[in-house]
Amino acid sequence: VESYLNVPGLGVIPQLPRKARRRAKPARVEKNTPLGVKAPASLVTLSHSTDPSAEAYRGLRTRILFAQAEQPIRSMVVTSATTEEGKTTTAANL
C-alpha cells in the first residue's frame, strides 16, 4: 500500500497481551484506572497503560501529530491484511 499510494506507513502495533485479548469484549469493563475512568479491556491505553502495546499506540499518535506539522491531515486509513487484526481497536485507542 505504501509504494502503490506513495504514502508512508506510520506504525505497527504489536499484538495485545493474551490477558487483554481474552477480556476485550465491548460489554466488559476493567477496574478503575488511575484517572478514575472505567475502561474496556480493549482500550489498552487506559486499562494496561504500561504495556508495550499501549506505548506503541502513544508512539503512533505522536507520529500522526508530527505528520500533520506541515499540512493538516484530512483523512487517515487504519487497515490490515486480513480481518480481525485490530483495526477497530487501533482506531479506538488512538
Side-chain angles (χ1 to χ4, degrees), residues 10-82:
L10 295 177
V12 175
I13 305 298
Q15 193 171 35
L16 288 173
R18 184 175 304 223
K19 187 167 95 173
R21 281 185 311 211
R22 255 184 305 179
R23 292 184 298 205
K25 295 185 172 133
R28 188 160 184 170
V29 175
E30 274 295 309
K31 63 183 177 162
N32 283 334
T33 62
L35 298 174
V37 177
K38 291 191 173 202
S42 59
L43 290 178
V44 68
T45 51
L46 290 177
S47 63
H48 298 90
S49 61
T50 60
D51 190 81
S53 297
E55 182 60 33
Y57 285 118
R58 287 190 288 274
L60 176 59
R61 179 199 60 205
T62 301
R63 287 187 293 281
I64 290 169
L65 292 172
F66 279 118
Q68 67 177 358
E70 293 179 19
Q71 183 175 353
I73 294 174
R74 295 183 54 181
S75 62
M76 185 180 341
V77 175
V78 177
T79 189
S80 66
T82 63

